[in-house]
Amino acid sequence: MLSWMVSFLMLCVVWVNHHRLLSQIGPITHAVFWLNANLLMWCSFVPFPTALLGDYLTNPLSAGVFGGVMAGMSLSFTLIRLHVQRRPDLLTAGVDLTRFVRTSRQSLFFGPLLYALGAAATLISPWLALAVFGFVPGYFICFNSQPAQAGPHPGDGGAAAAR
């Protein structure tokens, strides 16, 4: 049950961060599309390691697989961000490139690196790994819940900029 809750919170964070990230990207280029498809692929893997962790909670291998998939999923966010940093013309009007780069660095630490650390922590204790895995969505929910920067959201007719 605990693994399902952690996984649910992680997917909620992914959904919110995905919305925030794509609201800052103007045209969806071929590269952005495929990088986003990579993210979707990792998201589709989440049920397997979640079930594995739920069935074998104290098995270090199950926590390692869970952490590996979560690291891959969060790394896919980083790849999108790195691509946009190389192509700042993809950012919507009003998005500060310096802030975007800073947020990208933070997401690298609070995503792939912490999930990889959690996967490695399974060698010490599966409970320590779960604590690390639970910290990541906790951080994004409690400390990184600012709305996306100015710029219209796709499909809202520019209403986001008026908010």
Side-chain angles (χ1 to χ4, degrees):
M1 179 68 168
L2 178 62
S3 65
W4 288 101
M5 182 56 68
V6 170
S7 181
F8 171 74
L9 290 174
M10 287 178 181
L11 287 176
C12 288
V13 167
V14 167
W15 189 342
V16 168
N17 285 334
H18 182 262
H19 176 72
R20 287 181 187 159
L21 179 59
L22 289 187
S23 71
Q24 296 178 65
I25 300 172
I28 302 298
T29 63
H30 189 74
V32 171
F33 172 82
W34 285 108
L35 289 168
N36 192 52
N38 179 49
L39 171 62
L40 180 61
M41 177 192 68
W42 285 102
C43 289
S44 70
F45 290 158
V46 170
F48 172 72
T50 300
L52 189 66
L53 189 61
D55 290 344
Y56 304 100
L57 188 61
T58 59
N59 186 327
L61 182 60
S62 66
V65 169
F66 184 86
V69 168
M70 295 304 163
M73 183 176 59
S74 59
L75 182 61
S76 64
F77 268 111
T78 302
L79 294 176
I80 294 170
R81 288 181 162 281
L82 290 174
H83 175 71
V84 173
Q85 285 177 37
R86 286 191 306 272
R87 294 269 323 269
D89 59 301
L90 296 177
L91 291 171
T92 58
V95 175
D96 178 24
L97 179 60
T98 303
R99 183 174 175 194
F100 186 85
V101 169
R102 184 178 63 241
T103 303
S104 298
R105 285 187 191 129
Q106 289 172 342
S107 70
L108 176 63
F109 175 74
F110 284 104
L113 295 178
L114 277 180
Y115 285 129
L117 178 68
T122 62
L123 299 173
I124 299 168
S125 164
W127 298 107
L128 176 61
L130 279 178
V132 173
F133 299 150
F135 173 78
V136 176
Y139 165 79
F140 281 102
I141 291 168
C142 296
F143 301 109
N144 194 23
S145 56
Q146 69 226 13
Q149 295 173 356
H153 293 264
D156 71 358
R163 287 184 216 145

